[in-house]
Amino acid sequence: KQEVTQIPAALSVPEGENLVLNCSFTDSAIYNLQWFRQDPGKGLTSLLLIQSSQREQTSGRLNASLDKSSGRSTLYIAASQPGDSATYLCAVNQGGSEKLVFGKGTKLTVNP
Amino acid sequence: GAVVSQHPSRVICKSGTSVKIECRSLDFQATTMFWYRQFPKQSLMLMATSNEGSKATYEQGVEKDKFLINHASLTLSTLTVTSAHPEDSSFYICSASYHRDQPQHFGDGTRLSIL
């Protein structure tokens, strides 16, 4: 059974810092991996999707990497801003269906 | 970008009431819709997968008679919590997908509180 773990559970940084969020998964046979953002009391916003054949994806200040063989992904946020404060969720999609398995998320607080 | 609308955003009702939650894909046809439940500080738990015109596939441990799912069209899926009780209080979120190579698009969730 696939399990997704995110470390740390919470992170607080001053504005302007670069930071890395970590995601690990137990079964490396994934189809793709997605990073989402969730604001309090809201649904999820898709940030980046990495196919299993890819190593990384970039969107603006965000860069996600994937090391499928070791079961790890990182989300790098450059020059963090208070508006980046949210919970970041990692999810993997395994072959055969579109179901996602989610981690518990990392709650990020960027202090002005 | 793709938009998924979920309604209502919040429901407060008495125990024994049945509650219907709607999930609509506004600008694309969703071949598959998903229903999740989220407890405070916990991950999203997939409840069921819904395909247009066919019966929903429920995850292990989810009561299909309790959580009725209807996917009447490519843009609408509904979740009905039947005879809701306080333990059904939670945050329910839907998502929609039109291709597995594309990100799933999520609604804003429904906060259900059963008194």
Side-chain angles (χ1 to χ4, degrees):
Chain A
K1 180 184 175 184
Q2 178 73 271
E3 292 183 2
V4 179
T5 303
Q6 290 187 246
I7 295 173
L11 180 65
S12 181
V13 300
E15 181 176 5
E17 270 204 8
N18 303 323
L19 59 100
V20 175
L21 307 180
N22 298 291
C23 172
S24 62
F25 44 95
T26 54
D27 185 346
S28 62
I30 64 170
Y31 187 78
N32 60 40
L33 180 145
Q34 299 180 43
W35 282 94
F36 295 89
R37 167 187 174 139
Q38 185 176 28
D39 292 291
K42 296 291 186 179
L44 278 63
T45 299
S46 177
L47 298 175
L48 291 164
L49 181 151
I50 310 178
Q51 300 292 353
S52 61
S53 58
Q54 298 175 321
R55 298 284 293 183
E56 66 177 346
Q57 282 287 330
T58 298
S59 175
R61 295 183 292 109
L62 305 180
N63 176 279
S65 69
L66 174 64
D67 184 342
K68 183 181 167 183
S69 61
S70 67
R72 295 176 187 274
S73 175
T74 62
L75 179 66
Y76 175 82
I77 302 177
S80 59
Q81 302 171 358
D84 294 331
S85 298
T87 296
Y88 290 80
L89 294 158
C90 166
V92 298
N93 170 235
Q94 312 231 201
S97 77
E98 295 180 65
K99 293 197 291 187
L100 295 176
V101 178
F102 282 85
K104 290 185 178 181
T106 294
K107 184 177 181 180
L108 173 66
T109 302
V110 181
N111 302 299
Chain B
V3 177
V4 173
S5 173
Q6 187 172 341
H7 178 80
S9 59
R10 184 170 179 94
V11 180
I12 302 173
C13 58
K14 294 180 179 178
S15 184
T17 305
S18 292
V19 178
K20 179 185 281 189
I21 303 170
E22 291 189 350
C23 181
R24 293 180 183 273
S25 57
L26 298 185
D27 54 357
F28 66 100
Q29 292 185 326
T31 53
T32 308
M33 288 186 172
F34 303 88
W35 288 96
Y36 296 86
R37 185 171 179 176
Q38 187 178 33
F39 293 101
K41 298 185 180 180
Q42 295 295 315
S43 179
L44 273 72
M45 182 192 77
L46 179 65
M47 299 174 65
T49 303
S50 168
N51 292 292
E52 184 265 340
S54 62
K55 291 184 178 180
T57 302
Y58 290 80
E59 295 299 301
Q60 190 173 12
V62 178
E63 299 177 60
K64 62 180 180 181
D65 295 330
K66 174 74 164 177
F67 300 99
L68 299 178
I69 292 173
N70 183 278
H71 195 153
S73 73
L74 285 172
T75 60
L76 173 65
S77 177
T78 61
L79 167 67
T80 301
V81 184
T82 61
S83 187
H85 293 286
E87 59 266 28
D88 298 323
S89 298
S90 191
F91 191 58
Y92 293 87
I93 311 176
C94 71
S95 73
S97 170
Y98 61 91
H99 194 282
R100 68 181 308 186
D101 288 340
Q102 299 297 320
Q104 286 187 22
H105 299 282
F106 284 77
D108 272 346
T110 297
R111 173 72 58 192
L112 177 62
S113 300
I114 307 299
L115 305 176

